[in-house]
Amino acid sequence: MRISPFLRASQLVMLSLLLIAGWATELRVMRWNIGRAIGANNPNDAQQPYVAKIWNYFRPDVILLHEVGGNTSGWNALNQESALDNFIRANLTYLGANPQRNVNYYLYVNRLSDGWISSAIVSRYPLVSATDVSIGSPNRGLTIGFVDVPGTNGVGFFGAHFKAGGYTTDAEKRQTNAEQARAHVNRWRYQNRRSAYLFGGDLNENEDPDLNSLYDIGALLPDGRVYNPISTVQSARLRDHVPTDGMGGKRTYKISSRNSDLDQRFDYLFTSADEPGRDRIRVLEARIFNTRRMSELPDGFEITDSQNASDHAPVFLRIQIDRWHTRPDGSGYWVPEPSSWLILLGLSGALLLKRRRSD
């Protein structure tokens, strides 16, 4: 291999870093309450072109959806799954021409529902397993998907939509949703000790000290439990990266024609914390997408596109997953192995020395 005489030491170091980065797996993940835009029971189908526009813009490898469904009762999971499938094939151009289910994408819609809406997961990579489990009233199901992401030990995805409302009974149900969700995430963690995981949801609450909560955080509920649904979920070893919009804001609800209507941070996308023995997630980008909060709109977008899509803004993460590799002696490391940095940097130095000697 002949090194150009113009290749400096800094360039060789950069080449080494790029090689290391190439060993890790990058993933685009989004979660979004789409406000009943897609469904089989009288959905808000006027929102669909805007949902498709934003979805195609981000090109997520995995997306967790909430409020899949419509405005009339009579929920049927298979009908909702068919409606979502039809939407994907007709609108998601980033999946290629005429995308086919179980080839170009995989999906699952919750079997649990309040009778109108539920949650779903859509992935470009195969779903090894997908199910949902009850997390309490009003018949809310926690989506659990295990995705076969190349270069990893598999990645777990959890999607939840907690009870809305500011009454005491709402807070009790929301805290139950959180406690049940945490229990299921922890159970999954112990059963899948090498896999990273993410949790996304419309949790209908915020614990940020600079925002107003729907119910007093830290207050005692009538049954004696402490009310803290967000930190309850996070205690399943989950990290909050606090995504922001184009103006540095973190509020995700409610998107409307007036920025002042943005008064809550209900939408979250957490990642698993670093834990030896488990694949590691590093966040490269964390965004809230709201066209009313951008100094410069992406090409082809209008300022009203977000509010026309949903009353919630989507949360997007671009992440890197470093795979955990176990040595024969039981120890291990995240790929790339730490010593790889020294090897490549040493190679850079050797190449630089060789160049200097040839000058």
Side-chain angles (χ1 to χ4, degrees):
M1 176 177 171
R2 185 172 182 270
I3 304 298
S4 166
F6 300 103
L7 196 58
R8 299 179 182 275
S10 59
Q11 292 174 303
L12 289 167
V13 171
M14 182 59 67
L15 175 61
S16 300
L17 297 180
L18 289 173
L19 287 170
I20 289 173
W23 294 347
T25 297
E26 189 172 308
L27 201 65
R28 303 172 67 86
V29 184
M30 191 160 77
R31 66 128 321 267
W32 195 6
N33 180 327
I34 55 173
R36 310 186 186 210
I38 305 166
N41 52 324
N42 189 30
N44 299 320
D45 51 15
Q47 299 169 200
Q48 291 184 7
Y50 304 98
V51 170
K53 190 176 189 179
I54 295 170
W55 194 333
N56 279 315
Y57 173 74
F58 277 104
R59 299 175 287 108
D61 298 306
V62 180
I63 184 169
L64 294 164
L65 298 172
H66 307 289
E67 291 201 21
V68 174
N71 299 294
T72 57
S73 59
W75 170 271
N76 179 286
L78 295 180
N79 289 345
Q80 304 297 343
E81 208 162 76
S82 177
L84 180 56
D85 186 32
N86 290 336
F87 172 85
I88 290 171
R89 287 188 287 107
N91 296 279
L92 297 189
T93 56
Y94 80 99
L95 294 174
N98 191 29
Q100 298 300 307
R101 183 177 177 182
N102 297 329
V103 176
N104 306 103
Y105 64 92
Y106 304 79
L107 69 88
Y108 174 81
V109 173
N110 279 14
R111 274 41 179 171
L112 293 172
S113 165
D114 62 2
W116 283 266
I117 57 174
S118 195
S119 301
I121 179 172
V122 181
S123 172
R124 296 182 70 180
Y125 299 114
L127 282 167
V128 177
S129 63
T131 189
D132 51 275
V133 292
S134 175
I135 54 172
S137 179
N139 199 32
R140 292 292 162 91
L142 175 70
T143 309
I144 305 176
F146 189 53
V147 180
D148 182 14
V149 178
T152 74
N153 287 304
V155 183
F157 288 88
F158 300 87
H161 186 187
F162 289 178
K163 178 68 175 72
Y167 293 106
T168 301
T169 54
D170 299 324
E172 290 176 315
K173 293 175 181 177
R174 196 155 46 244
Q175 183 63 33
T176 297
N177 293 159
E179 292 169 3
Q180 292 291 321
R182 175 181 61 185
H184 287 295
V185 173
N186 278 330
R187 186 174 298 112
W188 187 95
R189 285 182 58 252
Y190 293 128
Q191 294 171 348
N192 300 272
R193 294 179 180 270
R194 297 182 64 189
S195 300
Y197 54 97
L198 297 92
F199 183 105
D202 174 1
L203 306 187
N204 275 305
E205 187 56 283
N206 38 232
E207 295 184 12
D208 306 72
D210 57 329
L211 299 179
N212 294 322
S213 60
L214 296 188
Y215 195 85
D216 289 341
I217 303 300
L220 287 180
L221 296 167
D223 58 10
R225 291 180 297 165
V226 176
Y227 179 72
N228 53 358
I230 308 304
S231 53
T232 294
V233 170
Q234 279 193 259
S235 64
R237 297 195 180 182
L238 289 162
R239 295 180 297 175
D240 180 8
H241 302 277
V242 195
T244 55
D245 60 30
M247 301 173 92
K250 59 186 176 181
R251 301 176 184 184
T252 62
Y253 177 86
K254 178 177 184 179
I255 295 174
S256 72
S257 59
R258 300 189 306 278
N259 286 336
S260 60
D261 286 347
L262 271 171
D263 57 3
Q264 301 289 348
R265 179 190 179 209
F266 284 166
D267 304 273
Y268 302 83
L269 188 49
F270 303 137
T271 68
S272 52
D274 292 353
E275 182 180 358
R278 189 182 302 280
D279 288 0
R280 175 177 61 186
I281 292 178
R282 288 187 277 177
V283 173
L284 307 176
E285 181 182 359
R287 293 178 60 187
I288 294 169
F289 188 83
N290 182 353
T291 51
R292 298 207 69 86
R293 303 268 301 172
M294 293 181 177
S295 57
E296 184 175 349
L297 290 166
D299 290 344
F301 277 85
E302 302 292 336
I303 194 171
T304 54
D305 282 346
S306 285
Q307 72 187 63
N308 288 335
S310 174
D311 51 358
H312 289 255
V315 178
F316 171 80
L317 295 182
R318 184 169 60 88
I319 64 175
Q320 178 176 299
I321 302 177
D322 301 328
R323 185 171 184 167
W324 179 263
H325 178 79
T326 303
R327 296 187 179 99
D329 64 1
S331 63
Y333 56 89
W334 285 294
V335 177
E337 185 177 8
S339 61
S340 300
W341 292 81
L342 298 177
I343 293 171
L344 286 176
L345 290 175
L347 175 62
S348 299
L351 291 173
L352 178 62
L353 181 61
K354 181 178 179 181
R355 181 185 68 81
R356 285 178 173 174
R357 287 176 175 174
S358 64
D359 286 348

